[in-house]
Amino acid sequence: MKYVVSLVLGILAGVLILLAVLYYNPLTARNTLSPLSVSDNEIITFRYSAVAADALVFTNDGESQIKPNPPKVLQLWEPTVRLTNSMVTILRDSRNNPAAIGIKISSESEKTNIVDGNVIVDSVWHIYVPGRGSLFVEQQENYWGYVREIVIPAYWSSGDSWRGNWTGNITSGPGALGTARVVGGSGVFLGLVTDGVESLRAEAYSVDAGPVAMDAELTIELPRIEATLTPDP
Amino acid sequence: MIKTFIAGLLLGLAGAGALLFYTPVVNQAREQSLIVVHPNHGNTETFHVNIPTDRIMIGAPDQAEPLPPGLDWPADEKFAAARAELFKLRNSKDAVVGVASRMAASDEVAGGVIEWVFHLPARGSAYVLMDSQPADEGYRIGDLLTGTHEFEPLTGIVTERWVADTTGFEDAPAGRIELITAFVAREFADDLPEVDAE
């Protein structure tokens, strides 16, 4: 009997050690430095509140922790879209003025693997900037840092909430440097193919409602158009 | 007993590790891709949006009845010429397979902009630019500008048209927006004959 108890205790200890290693693994630490921060090119910044209640429209399967907004919006309950969220919001520029209409559609990715520290969401942005044109942003987002440093501590907290200051890049691909792929569709962006990065700045999270105070920033690099030398006539 | 404990420890480490590594955390539900192969005309796939039942949002100023109810669309003059819509997207068997956004706008710089983004969670996304003027036959034709995952290596066209319901059933939708994609791998695009939207 004592061998059985010893074996069970050993298994439990092994599982706990593995979970602790995964949770505290320094190799999967959040990325706070944007690859675009060292760029010489012009950067466009779009800011928005990442709280669903602040969006014009936010919808999901209706049974998730984050509630759809407005409450009567059509929900994505069908099996194929049950793991998908859609958000429509006004994107603000760096001076906090309304600058664009942004539609973000995100789906949980089958690439998610806790062992590798990957909580992956595949998302696309459809953006229209009045007077400038439209953009499409494709990105793979990794929420492991967010889950590890905000969501899990909120569940551990006696108040079922988390408060603090957390900043991190969530874009993890498809670019080699962990950047999103941005394609211009019209206007001044026509023909543009460049990189982008989305980051989150969280201050409060509730187990009941999800993010309570959280802002996001989408930065897009605008490559310089090299001046073409024209010969003197 | 210590040896048994250590054996259990290793078993727990290996077992939990294997379980976490090999058990899929996310398993997207899939519908069969209903692609039709035409003789000498590439492949087409038909999607549609039932109106009004699949419309999630109409983002436009001054709507008498906002959709969804409670939507507070910004009154900013800057967005006055823009209309953003969000839909559920269905395949030809009428099963919901994704979400689609449609942006229609006009301004001095971009001109007339009509764009779709199709997002099919298990397959990828497609970014389609439509002609601002419809063709004579009532179609609007557009090009696949870029895509993700399954759509990334593809090129081709999309047609959009309104099809009014003619069944007369009481609970039938008013009609549907029919979207037909004709995509082919970029490496084979030059080998195909011209595809006529008709």
Side-chain angles (χ1 to χ4, degrees), chain B residues 58-77:
Chain B
I58 306 175
D62 303 326
Q63 292 187 86
E65 291 182 22
L67 183 75
L71 170 65
D72 186 17
W73 191 254
D76 195 319
E77 188 65 29

Side-chain angles (χ1 to χ4, degrees), chain B residues 20 33 39 59 75 112 138 197:
Chain B
L20 283 173
S33 304

Side-chain angles (χ1 to χ4, degrees), chain A residues 139-177:
Chain A
Q139 63 178 340
Q140 177 182 289
E141 301 169 70
N142 189 351
Y143 282 88
W144 173 240
Y146 172 80
V147 169
R148 181 169 74 173
E149 295 175 38
I150 296 178
V151 179
I152 294 174
Y155 278 87
W156 282 346
S157 152
S158 57
D160 280 348
S161 64
W162 173 91
R163 293 189 78 84
N165 276 303
W166 185 93
T167 305
N169 294 332
I170 49 170
T171 305
S172 62
L177 295 175

